[in-house]
Amino acid sequence: MALLMEPGAEPRTESEQADLDAIAAIKESAAREYKEQGNQFVRMGRKHYADAVGCYTKAIAQMEPISPGAAADASVLFANRAHVNLLLGNHRRALDDAEQAVRLSPSNVKAYYRAAKAAIALELLPEAASFCRRGLEQDPANEELKKLLSQVEAQQSEQDRQRAKVAQAIAAAKDLAAAMEKRGMKLGKAVYQELTGVKKPKLDEQGVLHWPVLLLYPEVMSSDFIEDFSETDTFSPHLDSSPPLPWDENHAYTREAIELYYQAGVGTILSKSEILKYLLEGTVDSKSLPESLFDEEDGENDAGKSRTLTPSSEGTGKWIKVNEGKTLQEVLQHKDYIIPAIPVFFVVSRKSTFYKEFKAGNWSLP
């Protein structure tokens, strides 16, 4: 009897052949019945999609092992199951089924379409484009595949544009970080972003750093902001052009009376990776950055963590007066100054009663 034959064995008698043919006919009939049930479940709506998948799976099982003569029918079953998996959001399963459908029958245009749809959902745009083009080779006039290919190519163009933007932003941030490192400047965590928002230095084509600079008036806790302070500029021109302060009713903060100070020996130095994150903030979507980017920036002596500066005793926690004749670069290169994201200078007046309090060290940041 055919049921007792070893798998793969050839029938020896007409009776065994007849049994095999009968079994094949039964399985083929069962496969057709499961297929029709699956189609009916699809028409009944989403609540029955899982039942449809089950029916197509049973139909495929009835056809295994799939003979060359049954490959086209089996391809339809895999394509149908791919369709339902797409409707269910099972995109990886849908892609696997559609690819199998294509392998079984390279002329199955619906299988190419469904493979492309699944690939798009999985963000596999090159693969999606390939499926569209291969499907159009089978049916050059297929409008659905043409439309889908246009969509894929548009997404690829946008993706390429975004990648170029990310690469440009990363290169600019690395150049900026390298420029600061070359100058021996120490960048620390932002302290006054509630006043300035996220502000960053810029590197021009000549390799000159341009800093946004925050001026704080500790006597009244007011602030002023210089958008573009070139590192090659001295302080005098910027102070000379400052307008009168609306809150300075006693006219204490005249040009000849004001002095600038910065605080040395306080703050936390950012690691290389933290600097890069800060410089990239707001320029591109963080999700679009390579996962390995920040790991690459941290070497043996920079484990990706902030570190506290250990300054000299002379500058520890001290207010240091700015020499207005010096350039911004010279001031920022002070060995104990940690730039709190952007340079911050404190403005006091020799004419003010607050001046003595400040100079005596009796005032500290709130």
Side-chain angles (χ1 to χ4, degrees):
M1 294 180 62
L3 291 176
L4 301 178
M5 291 174 59
E6 294 291 331
E10 293 292 331
R12 297 180 179 179
T13 65
E14 291 182 4
S15 176
E16 288 180 345
Q17 183 63 56
D19 288 344
L20 288 176
D21 291 342
I23 292 170
I26 292 171
K27 293 180 70 175
E28 182 179 344
S29 176
R32 283 199 301 270
E33 185 174 343
Y34 282 130
K35 175 187 174 185
E36 290 305 317
Q37 288 178 2
N39 292 345
Q40 187 173 354
F41 278 129
V42 172
R43 289 191 289 270
M44 291 170 66
R46 186 176 184 83
K47 291 183 179 179
H48 299 276
Y49 287 167
D51 297 320
V53 169
C55 287
Y56 293 137
T57 301
K58 291 176 182 177
I60 291 169
Q62 290 297 320
M63 300 190 70
E64 292 175 340
I66 300 171
S67 64
D73 290 336
S75 175
V76 172
L77 289 172
F78 277 101
N80 285 1
R81 193 168 70 177
H83 171 60
V84 183
N85 275 319
L86 274 174
L87 295 174
L88 288 170
N90 300 329
H91 300 121
R92 174 53 64 182
R93 293 179 184 176
L95 180 58
D96 291 342
D97 279 345
E99 287 182 312
Q100 180 62 9
V102 167
R103 283 192 289 268
L104 288 166
S105 177
S107 62
N108 188 339
V109 176
K110 286 185 178 180
Y112 288 110
Y113 181 83
R114 289 163 187 172
K117 292 284 284 186
I120 292 171
L122 293 168
E123 298 183 358
L124 303 173
L125 297 183
E127 290 85 346
S130 175
F131 285 123
C132 288
R133 294 188 181 102
R134 289 164 62 191
L136 286 169
E137 288 176 4
Q138 301 297 323
D139 183 6
N142 191 291
E143 292 300 326
E144 287 187 329
L145 279 173
K146 287 180 181 178
K147 183 178 179 180
L148 194 60
L149 180 58
S150 295
Q151 293 174 0
V152 173
E153 289 176 339
Q155 289 183 42
Q156 284 182 306
S157 296
E158 176 60 20
Q159 194 176 76
D160 291 342
R161 190 186 70 80
Q162 287 296 328
R163 284 174 179 165
K165 180 181 177 182
V166 169
Q168 185 177 12
I170 291 174
K174 286 185 174 182
D175 288 345
L176 192 51
M180 287 187 281
E181 183 178 16
K182 182 180 179 181
R183 290 160 172 77
M185 296 173 180
K186 304 173 186 68
L187 198 67
K189 291 183 178 179
V191 179
Y192 300 101
Q193 278 192 354
E194 71 278 4
L195 296 176
T196 65
V198 179
K199 298 290 185 179
K200 306 166 194 173
K202 296 179 181 178
L203 190 67
D204 68 20
E205 295 180 355
Q206 287 71 43
V208 176
L209 283 171
H210 295 256
W211 291 88
V213 171
L214 179 64
L215 300 178
L216 287 178
Y217 298 84
E219 182 175 1
V220 293
M221 288 310 295
S222 179
S223 64
D224 200 358
F225 192 68
I226 301 174
E227 287 282 353
D228 186 344
F229 196 137
S230 171
E231 65 177 349
T232 58
D233 288 351
T234 60
F235 286 77
S236 296
H238 290 279
L239 297 176
D240 292 343
S241 60
S242 295
L245 301 171
W247 48 263
D248 183 24
E249 296 178 357
N250 296 325
H251 305 289
Y253 283 76
T254 57
R255 174 66 186 91
E256 66 276 4
I258 60 173
E259 295 178 351
L260 265 63
Y261 290 81
Y262 61 91
Q263 198 172 22
V266 294
T268 304
I269 301 174
L270 297 179
S271 68
K272 289 183 179 180
S273 62
E274 288 172 328
I275 291 173
L276 200 56
K277 286 178 184 178
Y278 164 68
L279 295 176
L280 286 168
E281 183 181 352
T283 59
V284 292
D285 185 351
S286 60
K287 295 178 181 178
S288 65
L289 297 172
E291 294 181 3
S292 60
L293 174 63
F294 302 114
D295 294 335
E296 293 171 359
E297 289 301 306
D298 293 319
E300 295 180 0
N301 299 321
D302 187 352
K305 297 181 180 179
S306 307
R307 56 191 176 92
T308 302
L309 175 68
T310 305
S312 64
S313 58
E314 181 183 351
T316 303
K318 295 292 184 180
W319 293 101
I320 298 180
K321 183 181 177 181
V322 173
N323 181 339
E324 295 181 12
K326 286 189 174 182
T327 65
L328 177 61
Q329 177 179 335
E330 290 174 313
V331 172
L332 298 184
Q333 287 174 321
H334 188 282
K335 62 182 181 301
D336 289 340
Y337 184 43
I338 303 175
I339 306 167
I342 63 171
V344 178
F345 299 102
F346 295 79
V347 186
V348 294
S349 170
R350 293 190 299 273
K351 293 181 180 179
S352 170
T353 55
F354 174 77
Y355 183 75
K356 291 182 180 180
E357 180 183 352
F358 180 84
K359 293 288 288 183
N362 296 328
W363 180 88
S364 61
L365 289 169

